[in-house]
């Protein structure tokens, strides 16, 4: 909460959102939630800032995948992210737009999908659109719940956020499978 009240907190939030979408392991929700809780009147602004900087970071991750994958692949193979990357590549090949959307909203590491999209040279417009929708839905939901529910909602969100994310993943997968059938 102390960081959320800092006069430069929006800058920190934007930087964290950008970095998390391409290489950094800490999600921006850890700043977005307390900032929205501390200043509910600005919650929608914080959500918009988080969304836009996260998508910009996702585009940076895309560029890493597209232009620098050969340079980072050896490190990636030895990191904890290699399994997630191979899974992301498989999902990306199967579902494209929907894989980016789900990764943007869910607890799945979005950054590995941004890199996989760059490696696969996904069309930039669908990538950006899926990122805007997925990331926006997630961050506006978090900010809105904090502004509306206050400290009690923060405790509930902390407890159920992963379940909510995985339920969304399941619903999208079922929807895509039904659509394809």
């Amino acid at each position: 909460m102390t960081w959320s009240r800092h006069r430069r907190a929006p800058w920190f939030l934007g930087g964290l959102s950008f970095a998390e979408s391409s290489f950094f392991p800490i999600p921006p929700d850890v700043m977005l939630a307390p900032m929205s809780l501390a200043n509910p009147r600005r919650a929608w602004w914080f959500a918009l800032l988080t969304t836009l900087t996260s998508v910009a970071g996702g585009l940076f991750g895309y560029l890493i995948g597209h232009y620098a994958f050969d340079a980072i692949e050896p490190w990636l193979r030895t990191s904890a992210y290699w399994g997630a990357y191979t899974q992301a590549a498989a999902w990306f090949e199967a579902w494209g737009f929907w894989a980016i959307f789900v990764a943007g909203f869910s607890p799945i590491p979005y950054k590995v999908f941004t890199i996989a999209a760059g490696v696969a040279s996904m069309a930039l417009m669908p990538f950006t659109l899926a990122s805007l929708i997925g990331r926006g839905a997630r961050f506006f939901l978090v900010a809105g719940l904090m502004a509306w529910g206050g400290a009690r909602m923060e405790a509930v969100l902390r407890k159920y956020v992963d379940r909510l994310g995985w339920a969304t993943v399941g619903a999208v997968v079922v929807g895509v499978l039904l659509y394809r059938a």
Side-chain angles (χ1 to χ4, degrees), residues 122-176:
M122 177 182 187
L124 212 47
M125 188 57 73
F127 171 82
T128 305
L129 184 61
S131 295
L132 277 169
I133 295 168
R135 295 310 259 183
R138 174 181 174 161
F139 299 136
F140 277 89
L141 178 65
V142 168
L145 288 172
M146 292 300 98
W148 172 71
R152 285 188 15 205
M153 184 58 72
E154 181 184 25
V156 170
L157 185 64
R158 238 184 256 269
K159 184 175 181 179
Y160 294 109
V161 71
D162 280 346
R163 291 179 191 158
L164 176 64
W166 286 114
T168 302
V169 170
V172 169
V173 168
V174 168
V176 169

Side-chain angles (χ1 to χ4, degrees), residues 13 21 27 30 40 52 77 102 113 136 142 146:
L13 177 62
S21 294
V30 300
L52 295 177
R77 282 185 181 276
V102 168
F113 281 82
V142 168
M146 292 300 98

Side-chain angles (χ1 to χ4, degrees), residues 5 64 75 164:
R5 296 180 197 280
I64 291 170
W75 169 83
L164 176 64

Side-chain angles (χ1 to χ4, degrees), residues 81-140:
Y81 288 111
W82 182 251
Y85 170 77
T86 57
Q87 185 66 51
W91 285 10
F92 183 75
E93 287 297 319
W95 296 315
F97 174 93
W98 292 107
I100 298 298
F101 167 77
V102 168
F105 185 80
S106 72
I108 297 170
Y110 172 66
K111 70 187 90 348
V112 297
F113 281 82
T114 67
I115 292 169
V119 171
S121 297
M122 177 182 187
L124 212 47
M125 188 57 73
F127 171 82
T128 305
L129 184 61
S131 295
L132 277 169
I133 295 168
R135 295 310 259 183
R138 174 181 174 161
F139 299 136
F140 277 89

Side-chain angles (χ1 to χ4, degrees), residues 23-36:
F23 59 88
F24 196 65
I26 299 173
D29 308 66
V30 300
M31 279 198 72
L32 175 61
M35 287 174 68
S36 298

